[in-house]
Amino acid sequence: MNHRMIRYIIGSLTQMEAAMLLVPALTALIYGEAACVAVFLGSALFCLLGGHLLKGKKPDDVTIFSSEGYVSVAVCWVVMSICGAMPLYFSGYFPNPVDALFEIVSGFTTTGATILSDVEILPRSVLMWRSFSHWVGGMGVLVFMLALLPMAGASSMYLMRAESPGPSVGKLVPKVRSTAKILYSIYFFLTIAEFLFLVLAGCPVFDSVNLSFATAGTGGFGVLNSSAGAYNAAIQIILTAFMILFGVNFNVYFLIYTKNIKDAFRCEEARIYMGIIGMSVLLISINTYSMFTGPGETVRHAAFQVASIITTTGFSTVDFELWPEFSRTILVILMFVGACAGSTGGGIKVSRVTIMAKTIVKELAVMNHPRNVRKTRFEGKPVEHEVLRSINVFLITYLGIFVLSTLVISLDGLDGITNFTAVASTINNIGPGLSKVGPTQNFSVYSNLSKLVLTFDMLAGRLEIFPMLIMCTAGFKRKRWN
């Protein structure tokens, strides 16, 4: 285990977070929030000095393997969350440190779950830090660091694999740093585009910045208590469109960028993703038609909520807790499906669900015709056994964490729907659940122990479970995995 390189990576990340904290500090300065200026600058200084002490001199041996990659990513996210919670705690609006940690982890993991019942009382700098944390965590803070800094050469691919969502991660171009730059260039371009569209639609500039950050990271922190319900129809349509766009695998955008348009439209996962959205919107629109004034309003709200849930953004325009059971069940199913691999969305991912479904079909065919030799194919290629094995292990581990988390938080005595959807919304990085954690409620009903469990679930869900488990496993110190 290359401990010096791990400390160097953590130190670099902490120093980078110091620079990130200048964004809310500048916001506080612009809006005359003197106390918040001191809080954010003080936190930035702490991160800068702490990062310098951790970083030290760059190690001679910068090689990292799989184990170092997983551990570095997990520890970086924990340290980043603790440092990011400091300004929330010292601002005075989150007097409970567990609440501050829960809130910022919800931000960085792009979950959007909150313990606040009234977000409009927060200073604008705190609102900005919450939303900006979505943007930082959406594509991955270590991916961003790889785009800016020469870290560990080809070995840094292990960092990208450990942080990026999906069953497998590859390089778009030969160099990892170039891949990271391309990903963040696309991410930045889409964010700017959404901001401009929102401003043109009449959304205030401050709201447009925050909504763009939250949508890009598929997070869901809003600046209004009504989430997106108070905005006009045009703004809601723009948010719907960009939530769907940020839920698409970024490889598709790379293919479009390189003018491989035909290959982009052949992407099987993206087509299935769009098909699931279309079918869900149709079914919910039919089921909720009587609740709205006409077909246009019905489809708009149905499309918004479907896009918000499947991409795990977590915005809402209406209280879908009041929808018929059929529509609510569809939304709960979409919580687990999630967006595409290689996007900023959470959930199990469309690619995994598709491969699992195809594997079931293959096994049924083999049972009927034992002599036939069939392979599961995805995106026109045979799925390797290693990928199938990793998906199976992921799902078993996912289910184990889900059950255990639900069991622990049930000690608080809340109803089953609340507990089930609370875990579903945090481990899938969605935000709102149902019942007492529905779109008009919050997570303050839980004890500190339950909030810590749900905080772990958010981190595990964002990092695809295994980095957090490896960090918590004592045996990782003795092995170096290739």
Side-chain angles (χ1 to χ4, degrees):
M1 181 67 65
N2 192 341
H3 293 96
R4 291 189 63 188
M5 188 59 193
I6 293 175
R7 286 197 299 271
Y8 182 82
I9 293 171
I10 296 170
S12 299
L13 182 279
T14 307
Q15 288 184 322
M16 184 169 290
E17 186 170 11
M20 295 171 184
L21 284 164
L22 297 180
V23 172
L26 180 60
T27 305
L29 188 64
I30 292 172
Y31 289 98
E33 299 166 354
C36 289
V37 172
V39 166
F40 283 108
L41 287 181
S43 299
L45 181 61
F46 175 84
C47 291
L48 187 65
L49 295 176
H52 179 73
L53 291 175
L54 280 170
K55 191 175 177 182
K57 182 182 176 182
K58 189 171 182 178
D60 295 328
D61 180 13
V62 298
T63 305
I64 55 175
F65 293 94
S66 181
S67 57
E68 284 97 336
Y70 282 118
V71 172
S72 298
V73 167
V75 175
C76 277
W77 275 73
V78 171
V79 171
M80 177 178 68
S81 298
I82 293 172
C83 293
M86 287 174 51
L88 296 184
Y89 175 70
F90 288 112
S91 71
Y93 290 91
F94 297 85
N96 181 353
V98 175
D99 287 349
L101 181 64
F102 180 94
E103 195 80 8
I104 200 62
V105 168
S106 180
F108 282 130
T109 60
T110 74
T111 303
T114 183
I115 54 90
L116 297 172
S117 57
D118 184 6
V119 299
E120 294 180 19
I121 65 170
L122 295 177
R124 294 205 167 194
S125 55
V126 174
L127 290 172
M128 178 63 73
W129 180 230
R130 291 166 81 242
S131 298
F132 186 56
S133 67
H134 281 331
W135 194 84
V136 170
M139 185 60 67
V141 66
L142 286 168
V143 173
F144 183 56
M145 193 163 67
L146 290 173
L148 296 180
L149 304 175
M151 293 296 296
S155 298
S156 57
M157 188 62 194
Y158 289 118
L159 291 175
M160 184 176 287
R161 284 178 178 168
E163 190 178 43
S164 299
S168 62
V169 176
K171 293 183 284 187
L172 302 179
V173 292
K175 292 185 178 180
V176 174
R177 191 179 179 190
S178 299
T179 297
K181 285 182 177 180
I182 290 170
L183 288 173
Y184 255 97
S185 296
I186 296 169
Y187 191 48
F188 187 78
F189 172 79
L190 288 174
T191 305
I192 293 296
E194 181 183 2
F195 168 76
L196 295 175
F197 276 112
L198 287 173
V199 171
L200 291 174
C203 187
V205 172
F206 180 79
D207 292 34
S208 297
V209 172
N210 282 269
L211 289 173
S212 297
F213 283 155
T215 308
T218 60
F221 277 152
V223 296
L224 301 177
N225 292 330
S226 62
S227 187
Y231 298 112
N232 61 44
I235 293 173
Q236 292 175 2
I237 291 170
I238 291 169
L239 290 175
T240 302
F242 276 93
M243 282 190 289
I244 293 172
L245 288 174
F246 280 108
V248 174
N249 191 322
F250 273 55
N251 286 355
V252 173
Y253 300 130
F254 176 74
L255 290 173
I256 294 173
Y257 172 75
T258 55
K259 299 181 180 179
N260 293 317
I261 308 298
K262 290 183 179 179
D263 290 338
F265 282 98
R266 288 195 192 106
C267 178
E268 184 178 2
E269 184 183 26
R271 287 187 282 111
I272 293 172
Y273 165 72
M274 292 297 182
I276 293 172
I277 291 174
M279 182 58 67
S280 300
V281 171
L282 176 62
L283 293 174
I284 291 177
S285 296
I286 294 172
N287 190 233
T288 61
Y289 182 77
S290 62
M291 300 181 68
F292 301 103
T293 58
E297 185 182 18
T298 303
V299 172
R300 173 162 53 87
H301 288 302
F304 188 97
Q305 288 311 145
V306 167
S308 178
I309 296 298
I310 195 171
T311 62
T312 70
T313 306
F315 282 136
S316 62
T317 55
V318 293
D319 184 4
F320 55 78
E321 175 70 19
L322 303 176
W323 283 5
E325 193 64 35
F326 178 76
S327 295
R328 292 194 301 160
T329 301
I330 291 175
L331 293 180
V332 171
I333 293 171
L334 294 179
M335 286 183 182
F336 292 93
V337 174
C340 297
S343 71
T344 61
I348 293 175
K349 304 294 182 302
V350 173
S351 57
R352 285 196 181 98
V353 174
T354 302
I355 291 172
M356 284 190 296
K358 289 188 172 187
T359 302
I360 292 171
V361 172
K362 186 202 77 170
E363 291 300 322
L364 290 174
V366 170
M367 288 178 184
N368 287 325
H369 305 283
R371 293 175 181 265
N372 283 359
V373 178
R374 297 186 59 174
K375 279 206 166 190
T376 302
R377 302 181 69 85
F378 183 69
E379 302 286 6
K381 300 175 183 177
V383 179
E384 299 296 330
H385 174 74
E386 184 67 20
V387 175
L388 292 175
R389 185 191 64 83
S390 68
I391 291 174
N392 291 335
V393 173
F394 172 86
L395 290 173
I396 292 170
T397 311
Y398 174 97
L399 182 61
I401 293 175
F402 194 101
V403 171
L404 184 60
S405 298
T406 305
L407 183 64
V408 173
I409 71 171
S410 67
L411 292 172
D412 287 349
L414 299 177
D415 63 275
I417 293 177
T418 298
N419 293 331
F420 181 86
T421 57
V423 175
S425 65
T426 50
I427 199 169
N428 294 314
N429 305 132
I430 293 164
L434 296 175
S435 192
K436 293 181 181 178
V437 291
T440 61
Q441 306 295 323
N442 59 75
F443 285 73
S444 62
V445 293
Y446 283 108
S447 65
N448 284 341
L449 173 62
S450 293
K451 288 172 187 171
L452 289 173
V453 170
L454 296 173
T455 298
F456 175 86
D457 289 345
M458 287 188 280
L459 287 167
R462 172 59 184 85
L463 299 179
E464 303 273 289
I465 295 177
F466 294 111
M468 292 300 294
L469 293 184
I470 291 175
M471 182 189 70
C472 298
T473 303
F476 75 82
K477 294 181 180 179
R478 303 191 190 105
K479 295 183 179 180
R480 173 170 287 189
W481 300 347
N482 292 308

